[in-house]
Amino acid sequence: MSNTENQKEKLVEVKNLKKYFPVKGGLLQRTVGYVKAVDDVSFDIYKGETLGIVGESGSGKSTLGRVILRLLDPTEGTITFEGTDISNLRQGKIRPLRKDMQMVFQDPYASLNPRMSVGELIEEPMLVQKTLGKKERKEMVIELLQKVGLGPEARLKYPHEFSGGQRQRIGIARALSTKPKFIIGDEPVSALDVSVQSQVLNIMDDLQDDFDLTYLFIAHDLSVVKHISDRVAVMYLGRIAEIAPKHSLYDKPLHPYTQALISAVPSTDVTKKKEKIKLTGELPSPSNPPTGCSFHTRCPHAHDRCHVERPELTDMGDGHFVACHLYTEPEPKIEPETV
Ligand code: SF4
């Protein structure tokens, strides 16, 4: 991946971000509680990097992506893009920023209007932004189709004439048409066959260098996230359990939840024998999360403190942060797993 010298320049800053959805109940449909989909999340995304976000479904990762792009309004906290606080900007003021921040969705078919030709679909964001004339738009459509590995003739066809992988390439070309700086991929390869997944990931990788892009890549599959990311954040019940450079996280996961997730990924190295850590229980409801550490109902290392005190993300050095009491006690209770 592109780790350039400007890696440490921040493009996006997320601080204490919360997104709560009200739960209605009773005859009068009053608010009786909240689903805490994103609950006090903070991190930075540096220019040119790919930050991967992994978590089970219901962990809040997709909501987080939508709030960062302001497709959903935050409940609390700030989102800063290129030094501008965009958390409370009205939609009218967000619109000009849309050209710099785009999203690639999981289901390219649902996100592409079936009545529009591929050329029209890729051209549409340019028309909205009014940045280019007709001739330049046409040239841009052809260039983008070539960049994603589809020929110029594809612009005259319709989405149903393409395979799932090709449709995702069209979705990527459309997202690139306004020359964005930042792209959020929300499970962009999850609906594709494994063989097609790596083709699309490689295209995204190449485009990152060509277009100087920064990615936030959301997925539930740890292998997919590993393939494309520079750093990885693990989410559990709306919070970040651990965030670290890719190799640090995959080789020495610190959080018991990350350790369990990584132990379940089949190893390609036959010399490395891994013991699978089994998690008991289901993901609790985000409308009624456990007290203290929200992972304590499933954690093999849970102790008294975990039931009452919420662990904060703690700096373990070299950009590796973990939210777990095991690492903030005078006598550490476990050694990091070597996976
Ligand atoms: Fe497990 Fe306690 Fe660490 Fe939470 S804080 S992950 S319950 S050991």
Side-chain angles (χ1 to χ4, degrees):
M1 295 302 309
S2 54
N3 271 320
T4 54
E5 62 283 356
N6 65 3
Q7 187 200 10
K8 285 292 163 192
E9 212 179 312
K10 290 174 192 171
L11 183 71
V12 180
E13 292 173 72
V14 173
K15 276 210 172 62
N16 306 112
L17 196 64
K18 295 182 182 176
K19 179 64 189 176
Y20 292 179
F21 295 101
V23 179
K24 306 280 182 190
L27 270 181
L28 298 173
Q29 285 296 295
R30 289 213 173 100
T31 301
V32 292
Y34 290 92
V35 170
K36 297 178 175 177
V38 177
D39 193 15
D40 204 1
V41 164
S42 302
F43 57 81
D44 299 325
I45 307 175
Y46 300 106
K47 278 189 182 166
E49 80 162 342
T50 298
L51 176 66
I53 304 236
V54 278
E56 292 166 274
S57 80
S59 63
K61 54 192 192 310
S62 288
T63 304
L64 175 64
R66 282 172 165 74
V67 176
I68 292 173
L69 281 197
R70 287 294 317 277
L71 300 173
L72 291 171
D73 290 333
T75 305
E76 248 182 76
T78 57
I79 308 138
T80 308
F81 181 74
E82 287 199 304
T84 303
D85 182 351
I86 62 163
S87 353
N88 296 306
L89 285 185
R90 277 198 246 124
Q91 283 304 325
K93 299 245 165 160
I94 291 276
R95 215 162 289 131
L97 286 172
R98 290 259 172 262
K99 73 172 180 36
D100 291 330
M101 306 188 292
Q102 294 284 345
M103 194 147 191
V104 176
F105 296 92
Q106 174 175 358
D107 182 353
Y109 202 53
S111 61
L112 299 175
N113 184 341
R115 284 187 292 277
M116 289 170 81
S117 71
V118 167
E120 287 166 342
L121 283 164
I122 299 174
E123 192 182 0
E124 189 185 40
M126 294 184 250
L127 278 169
V128 174
Q129 294 293 338
K130 301 189 180 96
T131 42
L132 299 173
K134 194 175 174 188
K135 184 167 169 273
E136 291 150 311
R137 289 199 302 271
K138 190 180 168 195
E139 284 167 4
M140 185 73 174
V141 167
I142 292 171
E143 185 193 331
L144 287 170
L145 281 170
Q146 277 164 343
K147 289 271 184 204
V148 297
L150 296 169
E153 66 286 351
R155 73 187 200 285
L156 304 172
K157 296 184 179 173
Y158 287 81
H160 73 268
E161 297 177 70
F162 294 90
S163 67
Q166 288 170 328
R167 283 201 289 263
Q168 194 54 293
R169 291 169 193 230
I170 295 164
I172 292 168
R174 180 176 152 92
L176 283 173
S177 64
T178 58
K179 296 207 172 151
K181 295 171 182 165
F182 178 51
I183 291 188
I184 296 187
D186 185 11
E187 303 262 12
V189 298
S190 306
L192 307 176
D193 290 345
V194 176
S195 57
V196 183
Q197 280 186 351
S198 50
Q199 288 169 15
V200 174
L201 289 173
N202 289 337
I203 286 175
M204 289 185 73
D205 213 349
D206 293 343
L207 292 170
Q208 184 167 40
D209 294 334
D210 289 357
F211 287 81
D212 211 5
L213 292 165
T214 303
Y215 289 144
L216 180 69
F217 193 97
I218 298 166
H220 64 275
D221 184 328
L222 273 96
S223 323
V224 165
V225 169
K226 187 178 185 183
H227 185 109
I228 196 155
S229 305
D230 297 302
R231 287 188 304 139
V232 175
V234 179
M235 273 188 88
Y236 187 80
L237 276 184
R239 295 175 67 86
I240 297 208
E242 185 163 6
I243 181 166
K246 172 172 70 179
H247 292 296
S248 183
L249 188 110
Y250 283 82
D251 294 344
K252 269 199 168 185
L254 298 179
H255 198 283
Y257 178 55
T258 319
Q259 290 170 356
L261 290 181
I262 291 178
S263 77
V265 177
S267 175
T268 46
D269 184 349
V270 284
T271 60
K272 271 190 181 176
K273 219 170 179 252
K274 286 199 304 187
E275 202 171 311
K276 194 170 168 187
I277 303 167
K278 269 206 182 139
L279 282 183
T280 52
E282 296 294 313
L283 187 73
S285 164
S287 63
N288 187 22
T291 55
C293 172
S294 53
F295 187 57
H296 84 249
T297 52
R298 301 167 80 192
C299 179
H301 304 284
H303 49 287
D304 291 350
R305 189 180 170 197
C306 309
H307 293 241
V308 288
E309 194 185 324
R310 177 183 274 184
E312 297 301 328
L313 266 183
T314 305
D315 187 353
M316 303 299 289
D318 299 323
H320 199 142
F321 292 78
V322 64
C324 173
H325 293 315
L326 296 173
Y327 303 96
T328 55
E329 279 160 8
E331 295 276 315
K333 288 192 161 47
I334 57 164
E335 283 298 312
E337 291 276 318
T338 302
V339 179

